[in-house]
């Protein structure tokens, strides 16, 4: 199964509910919520209220990606609000097991995002507590950045690692710079889900663009 998770970060901020409804109607599988605190990354987006807004607007799974410096505090809050996936950054905490456990204890799927310069092998200790791994295709913090080409080889490396460790059930998602120009390479490398922001929300035919990304 190939999942498309549009990032609402690229939507019109004055029409978030309408934009979410439109992208879900166009065939999105998940809705990606990029949460930034101005500390872990140099940008501020929105807080837990975005989950409540999204739940009222759409009936697809909510994919919360927390780019925050205190995930142990924030992750359970987003899980309690009703996100289906809550992912935190590997680089943001020295208590990753505790964070992931706090998410799963609330019956929510737990994820980890990994920055472009962080070795893929650093994920190994966390595998038993993971449902999702987000491989960043850009340095986190801003929408519309160009895709880092080495991301494709990192996805392939991660796919091999999961197979070697008997953890093939963990989904691989790619976030940042995803377009129709790199989607095929990412699927072929082993991605299960692609996050697309600016490329999707700027499209004049979102349904066709989602279909093109999925079938690339």
């Amino acid at each position: 199964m190939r999942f498309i998770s549009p990032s609402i970060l690229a939507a019109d901020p004055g029409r978030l509910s309408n934009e979410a409804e439109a992208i879900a109607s166009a065939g999105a599988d998940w809705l990606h919520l990029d949460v930034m605190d101005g500390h872990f990354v140099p940008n501020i987006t929105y807080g837990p209220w975005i989950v409540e807004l999204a739940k009222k607007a759409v009936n697809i799974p909510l994919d919360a990606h927390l780019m925050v410096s205190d995930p142990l505090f924030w992750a359970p809050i987003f899980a309690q609000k009703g996100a289906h996936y809550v992912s935190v950054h590997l680089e943001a905490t020295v208590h990753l097991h505790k964070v992931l456990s706090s998410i799963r204890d609330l019956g929510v799927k737990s994820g980890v995002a990994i920055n472009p310069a962080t070795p893929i092998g650093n994920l190994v200790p966390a595998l038993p507590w993971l449902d999702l791994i987000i491989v960043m295709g850009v340095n986190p913090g801003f929408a519309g950045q160009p895709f880092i080409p080495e991301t494709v080889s990192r996805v392939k490396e991660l796919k091999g690692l999961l197979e070697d460790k008997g953890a093939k059930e963990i989904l691989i998602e790619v976030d940042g710079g995803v377009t129709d120009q790199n989607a095929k390479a990412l699927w072929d490398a082993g991605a299960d889900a692609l996050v697309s922001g600016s490329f999707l929300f700027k499209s004049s035919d979102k349904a066709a663009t989602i279909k093109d990304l999925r079938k690339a």
Side-chain angles (χ1 to χ4, degrees):
M1 184 71 177
R2 294 176 171 182
F3 301 100
I4 303 296
S5 185
S7 172
I8 203 170
L9 179 63
D12 180 346
R15 301 178 61 253
L16 287 180
S17 291
N18 292 339
E19 294 271 67
E21 290 174 5
I23 206 71
S25 297
D29 301 294
W30 304 343
L31 186 65
H32 193 78
L33 311 176
D34 283 305
V35 179
M36 307 180 193
D37 66 355
H39 295 281
F40 181 70
V41 293
N43 197 9
I44 297 174
T45 53
Y46 26 64
W49 59 266
I50 194 64
V51 178
E52 296 174 328
L53 180 148
K55 282 178 69 69
K56 291 177 182 177
V58 302
N59 291 316
I60 57 177
L62 304 180
D63 174 23
H65 174 193
L66 308 189
M67 288 164 269
V68 301
S69 59
D70 191 359
L72 186 56
F73 175 80
W74 287 111
I77 293 176
F78 278 82
Q80 290 168 341
K81 289 293 184 180
H84 297 79
Y85 290 88
V86 176
S87 300
V88 303
H89 269 262
L90 180 68
E91 303 84 3
T93 180
V94 295
H95 302 295
L96 187 57
H97 167 260
K98 193 171 183 179
V99 176
L100 299 177
S101 296
S102 74
I103 298 168
R104 280 193 166 181
D105 286 348
L106 292 166
V108 174
K109 294 184 182 297
S110 60
V112 157
I114 184 167
N115 284 344
T118 302
I120 292 295
N122 289 10
L123 290 163
V124 171
L127 295 182
W129 299 281
L130 286 175
D131 300 292
L132 176 72
I133 295 171
I134 302 176
V135 178
M136 295 301 299
V138 300
N139 289 294
F142 295 93
Q145 297 183 68
F147 181 74
I148 298 173
E150 289 77 13
T151 305
V152 175
S153 61
R154 285 169 60 78
V155 171
K156 187 174 183 178
E157 179 185 354
L158 176 57
K159 187 70 172 182
L161 175 69
L162 296 181
E163 291 175 352
D164 289 344
K165 299 296 181 180
K168 291 189 291 185
E169 73 282 359
I170 299 174
L171 298 178
I172 299 174
E173 182 176 65
V174 181
D175 181 10
V178 173
T179 70
D180 57 353
Q181 299 300 304
N182 51 41
K184 183 180 187 305
L186 291 169
W187 294 131
D188 290 347
D192 300 293
L194 299 181
V195 176
S196 186
S198 302
F199 178 73
L200 256 180
F201 277 95
K202 290 180 180 179
S203 171
S204 60
D205 188 339
K206 294 178 176 59
T209 302
I210 288 173
K211 187 177 294 185
D212 288 346
L213 284 176
R214 189 179 286 117
K215 294 184 176 180

